[in-house]
Amino acid sequence: MLDAPKISHARFITFEGGEGVGKSTQVKRLLQNLQRHSIEAIRTREPGGTPKAEAIRSFILQGRSESWGPGGEAVLFAAARLDHVNQLIAPNLRNGTWVLSDRFHDSTRAYQGLTGGVDDKLIAGLEALALDGHTPDLTIVLDMDPDAAFKRVAERAVEDGLQVSGDRFEKEEIEWHKRLRDGFLRIAKDNPERCVVISAAQPEETLEAAIWKAASQRFPELLAGSQA
């Protein structure tokens, strides 16, 4: 049996969506699928991915930045993203390793920009600084009604014997989360060459298959590798 052909061009794939839609689970599943196809890949998250960015993540999600307002939080996210790109994302892509990120710049657009009301010019400026040209090759937007998403989170917490406490953003009112959902859908509509919207209101295995199909359609080399 011949080995699958080596895919030399690394891809950058991001996952976006509201709270509780299953991004982390699907990032792990896509990573496993890529590895089964002999593709070297890593997964990361935002905010986070590097020690400095993880420190900023803790500061924000504990609610300590809330008094700074959406503008201040946007600056913090950009600072974390700048380190994330420079120290982890860019080096891995240069080395031929695919990078999968649980959230990236679209989350700042949606949370602090379209939902939080931060001026588009400020968001764009921070984005240009932090990304340094490293725009994702594919963004999977997992879409789900916020009421259903939070119900799912609560049910899983009960199954695991955990309490639902909620971080800085999970504690926002449901109407806020509905605006957030609209924000992500608007981003996807404005960037059809990069974004694919997939319903997250389906079983994990079905969602996994839909994501693999979307990735294979965007990157035909995945299909070539599976046929080898």
Side-chain angles (χ1 to χ4, degrees), residues 24-39:
S24 299
T25 297
Q26 294 302 326
V27 169
K28 293 177 184 177
R29 285 174 176 255
L30 180 57
L31 177 67
Q32 292 168 351
N33 280 325
L34 290 173
Q35 291 172 339
R36 279 194 288 267
H37 284 74
S38 301
I39 295 174

Side-chain angles (χ1 to χ4, degrees), residues 30 138 140 196 198 207-219 222-223:
L30 180 57
L138 172 64
I140 303 292
V196 176
I198 300 177
L207 181 54
E208 176 186 353
I211 291 170
W212 181 254
K213 179 180 179 180
S216 299
Q217 289 176 338
R218 190 60 56 94
F219 311 126
L222 294 179
L223 290 177

Side-chain angles (χ1 to χ4, degrees), residues 4-197:
K6 182 176 177 58
I7 299 173
S8 59
H9 182 60
R11 304 292 189 174
F12 181 23
I13 303 176
T14 57
F15 284 69
E16 298 285 2
E19 307 294 333
V21 298
K23 296 181 304 300
S24 299
T25 297
Q26 294 302 326
V27 169
K28 293 177 184 177
R29 285 174 176 255
L30 180 57
L31 177 67
Q32 292 168 351
N33 280 325
L34 290 173
Q35 291 172 339
R36 279 194 288 267
H37 284 74
S38 301
I39 295 174
E40 186 175 351
I42 62 166
R43 64 183 176 92
T44 186
R45 67 178 183 177
E46 285 218 346
T50 65
K52 291 179 181 178
E54 288 290 338
I56 294 176
R57 176 189 182 89
S58 178
F59 182 83
I60 293 173
L61 297 188
Q62 288 175 7
R64 297 165 66 189
S65 65
E66 188 171 2
S67 63
W68 297 17
E73 289 182 329
V75 173
L76 287 174
F77 279 119
R81 184 165 299 122
L82 178 64
D83 191 66
H84 191 201
V85 168
N86 289 340
Q87 301 300 321
L88 188 144
I89 294 173
N92 275 282
L93 292 174
R94 284 197 299 269
N95 290 334
T97 301
W98 290 42
V99 177
L100 312 182
S101 185
D102 181 348
R103 296 197 182 285
F104 195 57
H105 71 303
D106 289 316
S107 280
T108 300
R109 290 189 190 184
Y111 279 77
Q112 284 72 46
L114 296 174
T115 307
V118 177
D119 185 76
D120 287 346
K121 292 182 179 179
L122 174 59
I123 294 293
L126 292 172
E127 188 175 286
L129 172 66
L131 269 61
D132 190 27
H134 294 87
T135 303
D137 296 295
L138 172 64
T139 296
I140 303 292
V141 179
L142 298 183
D143 179 53
M144 190 174 184
D145 176 75
D147 287 305
F150 279 101
K151 181 179 179 181
R152 174 192 284 179
V153 170
E155 289 174 347
R156 289 180 178 173
V158 170
E159 292 175 359
D160 296 335
L162 303 174
Q163 290 184 335
V164 181
S165 56
D167 62 25
R168 157 72 182 89
F169 299 106
E170 290 171 344
K171 292 180 178 179
E172 294 285 358
E173 297 293 332
I174 195 66
E175 289 304 319
W176 187 93
H177 286 281
K178 289 180 179 179
R179 295 197 302 273
L180 177 66
R181 179 192 188 189
D182 291 340
F184 277 117
L185 292 176
R186 175 178 168 183
I187 290 170
K189 182 179 179 181
D190 291 344
N191 298 272
E193 76 291 345
R194 173 172 62 85
C195 297
V196 176
V197 178

